[in-house]
Amino acid sequence: MSATLPGPDGRPRCRWCAATADYIAYHDTEWGFPVADDRRLFEKLCLEGFQSGLSWRTILAKRENFRAAFHGFEIDRVARFGEADVERLLQDAGIVRHRGKIASVVNNARRAQELIAREGSLAAYVWRFEPEARQAPWGAATSTASVAMSRDLKKRGWSFVGPTTVHAFLQAMGLINDHAEDCVIRAEAAQARAAFRPPN
C-alpha cells in the first residue's frame, strides 16, 4: 500500500491526511515544520495529551475552543489555574471534558515554568531531543527520542506525556520529518528545517 494518496490538487500527500480537508490544511502548513515558540510547543504537548484515546480530528476540530478555554496556552496564566478553573472547564462542552487531562494541563504548566527557569526556554529543552538520524520506520508510534523525552518529562513531574504522545509531538513540531518519501510537502518541511536554527 502506498504511503501517499493524491490530494484535491492531484499531488501526493501522506495517506493519513486524506480523511478531511482540515487534515490537509494542517498537514500542508503545520505538521512537520519546525517550531521554537514556547507557547506553541506547550499547546501542542497539551493537545496531544488530550488526544490520548481519541482521534486528532476530534482535537483539531476543537482547537480554537481549547485555546479560548486555556487562554491561548499562555504558560504563566494556565499555571495559576486552581480547582475552580478545573471545575469550570469540566462544564465547557467545546473541549474534551476529562478531569485528569484538564488537571494535567495545569500541572504541566507549572512544571513548564520550572523547566524554563532551569533551561532558559521550553524550546531549548525540547530541541535537545531532536534525533540526528531516523530512529524508527515511517508509521511507528514511538522512537528512541520520544522514549527518552517522555522518561525525562515524567521525572520532572509532567503527566500525559507517554512515548506515543511525545512521538506525535516530535513529528508535528518538526523534530522528526515523518512526511512520506514521496509526499509533496516532505521537501518543504526539510527546507524549513534546514533554514531553522534550534534555540540553545
Side-chain angles (χ1 to χ4, degrees):
M1 179 185 295
S2 172
T4 59
L5 285 173
D9 57 4
R11 301 190 301 166
R13 287 175 173 80
C14 297
R15 177 174 285 273
W16 63 264
C17 78
T20 168
D22 288 344
Y23 270 7
I24 292 175
Y26 171 72
H27 168 273
D28 285 5
T29 63
E30 293 186 56
W31 194 74
F33 288 83
V35 174
D37 177 74
D38 278 8
R39 187 203 60 76
R40 282 190 61 199
L41 292 167
F42 179 67
E43 172 187 300
K44 185 60 173 170
L45 269 173
C46 293
L47 293 181
E48 290 293 351
F50 271 106
Q51 185 194 348
S52 180
L54 302 170
S55 74
W56 177 241
R57 187 174 187 175
T58 298
I59 303 304
L60 190 58
K62 294 175 178 285
R63 183 162 63 168
E64 291 306 320
N65 296 336
F66 278 110
R67 286 172 172 168
F70 288 100
H71 300 302
F73 290 94
E74 293 180 27
I75 294 170
D76 291 340
R77 290 188 72 177
V78 177
R80 293 195 293 270
F81 279 17
E83 185 57 34
D85 294 291
V86 174
E87 293 298 330
R88 171 179 56 81
L89 292 172
L90 282 169
Q91 307 307 313
D92 188 339
I95 66 170
V96 174
R97 293 180 286 181
H98 182 290
R99 180 181 293 276
K101 293 177 180 180
I102 292 169
S104 174
V105 172
V106 179
N107 169 72
N108 290 349
R110 295 168 183 166
R111 303 294 77 79
Q113 286 180 316
E114 296 167 356
L115 191 152
I116 291 166
R118 180 183 295 268
E119 307 290 339
S121 71
L122 182 58
Y125 168 81
V126 164
W127 277 94
R128 287 185 204 142
F129 291 91
E130 181 187 19
E132 292 184 6
R134 174 163 294 282
Q135 301 173 327
W138 274 277
T142 64
S143 60
T144 304
S146 77
V147 170
M149 184 173 164
S150 170
R151 184 180 298 124
D152 191 70
L153 286 172
K154 287 177 180 178
K155 280 184 187 176
R156 295 170 184 264
W158 291 61
S159 54
F160 281 92
V161 286
T164 300
T165 294
V166 171
H167 185 64
F169 167 80
L170 296 176
Q171 290 173 307
M173 298 288 97
L175 286 87
I176 297 173
N177 187 352
D178 255 353
H179 285 280
E181 286 282 10
D182 57 342
C183 172
V184 69
I185 303 300
R186 179 174 174 79
E188 292 182 25
Q191 288 170 2
R193 174 61 191 88
F196 176 79
R197 294 294 173 264
N200 52 36

